[in-house]
Amino acid sequence: MKRKLIAAIGIAGMMVSIAACGDSDSGGSDNTGADAKELTVWLTVDAQNNWPELVKAADDAIKKKHPGIKINHEYYGWPDKNAKLDAVLATDKAPDVVEMGNTEMLSYMVKGAFAPVDPAKFENSDAWLDGLKASVTYEDKTYGVPYYAGGRVANWRTDVAESVGVKSAPKTYEELTAALDKIQEEKGDKFSAWYQPTRDWYAAMSFVYDAGGAIAEESGGQWKGSLSSPESLKGLTEFKNVVDKYMHGDKTKDESDRYIVYGQAKSAMIFGAAWEGATAEDPKNDKTGDLKGNLENFVMPGPSGKNIPVFLGGSDLAVPVKSDAQAVAAEWINALTGASGQKGLMGKGNLPNNKTDLATLKDDPATVVPATAAESNWFVPMAPGWGQVEKAQVLQTMLQSIGTGKKSVEAAAKEADAAIDKVINTK
């Protein structure tokens, strides 16, 4: 999935009246707007460019059920969408359906921008992937429907692995580190056996969750940072070990250009979004030609002995609370995200929104790796102030301090917890 999800950091300019409407239970759960004559759907350009036939099929299903209804579509790029949405939500002309990155949902749910929906009205809702289900759930209510997912996998150069006698992808963390040790010794310190950007908190938190830790935990209705728990410190320490031993690039960087750096053939492995390896291999990025035909995705093993939990990116569909067509909007969402829609989305290279369909991908050699990796997943704390934690880049700052040696793991984690505690319960 060749895009990055933009973390929600708040809703600028949203009128108080939106929050006041947020207690409504009408979004898809009763007949509000059941006789609507018009429906406005906001999607990103991913749908417009990659699966317009699936959108049309959803339109056709609704038009058959509601003869004469007019369905309008507007498409937006990820960098532009939220500013436009924030502006329109302060008016009475809100769209009826809007696509959101799953990390964007929380701040809007906190502000009461989306109407609650009834999960029972959506196909496969009882099997939604845990990470996606979490992204549409706030204070025990559901405010959206998972659309599709994108996972994270390990990717390495088989030619480099074979040069040190490793013939197949590792199945355990011990096999992985043993192979990387050989590669690092063979290639020297100007080469990264594993190019792992220090500020990549998605990867770092996978180590934390693998060790049984968490970013923050809830108790008695209050959230508190837990990065300095023994379990979290164990995961952070192992992440630091990886960076110290195998990462010989700039230790102040994030993951935004990882696929470009990988294409420079100065590293043997990455752990990132499933599309990054193929993008690095693209002639535009494969600067030496060394990557072509030599890359392999594999499921990232964790130090725990299990597959490492991965962050699931993806999209959700929500109904703004100001929509006058909430019931029909919910029907349209179900038409797009239901069984036939999920089959179509999987055919376009996406992971489905549910465990049942995900299991079918494990039977196909072309999809078994991302499907298997996605089975174990985690999501951000669904706390009211999480957007402020992301905005302040608390995790990135902690990780850079750890990776560069500026602070010990314990000191950096303690400082991060204190920063989290200041804002995580603030709406």
Side-chain angles (χ1 to χ4, degrees), residues 157 262-266 280 283 285-292:
R157 288 179 51 185
Y262 196 31
Q264 296 170 354
K266 295 181 180 179
N285 299 312
D286 186 4
K287 299 303 182 182
T288 64
D290 292 341
L291 275 64
K292 183 66 175 178

Side-chain angles (χ1 to χ4, degrees), residues 100-423:
M100 305 293 297
N102 61 347
T103 58
E104 298 174 336
M105 285 289 295
L106 180 57
S107 290
Y108 288 82
M109 293 190 293
V110 170
K111 296 294 184 180
F114 297 143
V117 298
D118 179 2
K121 293 189 175 183
F122 300 93
E123 293 183 53
N124 282 319
S125 60
D126 58 343
W128 283 344
L129 298 178
D130 295 339
L132 295 186
K133 181 179 180 179
S135 74
V136 297
T137 306
Y138 180 66
E139 294 185 340
D140 298 324
K141 288 187 177 182
T142 303
Y143 290 92
V145 178
Y147 181 9
Y148 63 93
R152 280 167 167 75
V153 299
N155 179 285
W156 75 354
R157 288 179 51 185
T158 55
D159 58 330
V160 175
E162 289 172 1
S163 73
V164 296
V166 178
K167 304 297 184 181
S168 59
K171 301 296 184 183
T172 68
Y173 193 68
E174 290 73 21
E175 290 177 358
L176 173 62
T177 54
L180 293 175
D181 288 344
K182 292 178 182 178
I183 291 170
Q184 196 63 68
E185 182 178 2
E186 173 76 17
K187 293 292 188 178
D189 289 345
K190 292 185 179 180
F191 186 90
S192 294
W194 176 350
Y195 180 75
Q196 179 51 65
T198 306
R199 291 172 64 87
D200 177 11
W201 64 278
Y202 297 109
M205 293 306 105
S206 286
F207 280 88
V208 166
Y209 282 92
D210 182 68
I215 300 171
E217 295 183 331
E218 183 183 19
S219 178
Q222 290 291 299
W223 287 85
K224 188 174 178 61
S226 57
L227 291 166
S228 54
S229 72
E231 296 83 2
S232 295
L233 289 176
K234 181 179 179 181
L236 288 170
T237 298
E238 186 55 36
F239 182 75
K240 176 176 169 55
N241 290 340
V242 167
V243 172
D244 287 349
K245 291 179 69 175
Y246 308 124
M247 169 62 175
H248 297 281
D250 184 348
K251 293 185 180 180
T252 66
K253 288 178 65 67
D254 64 18
E255 72 281 8
S256 60
D257 66 345
R258 174 169 43 210
Y259 65 95
I260 295 175
V261 176
Y262 196 31
Q264 296 170 354
K266 295 181 180 179
S267 54
M269 173 184 151
I270 60 173
F271 170 46
W275 55 263
E276 290 187 52
T279 305
E281 191 179 15
D282 187 290
K284 296 192 298 291
N285 299 312
D286 186 4
K287 299 303 182 182
T288 64
D290 292 341
L291 275 64
K292 183 66 175 178
N294 288 319
L295 296 186
E296 178 184 18
N297 281 337
F298 59 93
V299 178
M300 178 69 186
S304 67
K306 301 177 182 179
N307 295 338
I308 204 164
V310 299
F311 176 83
L312 281 184
S315 278
D316 300 322
L317 296 173
V319 180
V321 73
K322 287 191 172 184
S323 166
D324 292 326
Q326 292 180 19
V328 179
E331 292 174 7
W332 189 92
I333 291 173
N334 189 48
L336 183 63
T337 62
S340 61
Q342 290 302 307
K343 183 177 180 180
L345 287 164
M346 288 189 292
K348 298 293 183 177
N350 300 292
L351 294 178
N353 68 1
N354 66 89
K355 299 172 185 176
T356 304
D357 286 328
L358 186 71
T360 67
L361 294 179
K362 294 177 67 177
D363 297 328
D364 185 343
T367 54
V368 63
V369 168
T372 302
E375 287 182 319
S376 177
N377 55 79
W378 61 273
F379 198 64
V380 300
M382 295 303 285
W386 174 251
Q388 296 184 55
V389 177
E390 286 205 34
K391 182 178 181 180
Q393 298 192 351
V394 173
L395 299 183
Q396 293 94 322
T397 299
M398 174 190 70
L399 294 170
Q400 184 171 325
S401 294
I402 291 172
T404 59
K406 182 179 179 180
K407 295 179 180 176
S408 68
V409 172
E410 292 78 6
K414 184 177 180 179
E415 185 176 283
D417 277 345
I420 289 172
D421 291 346
K422 287 181 180 179
V423 298

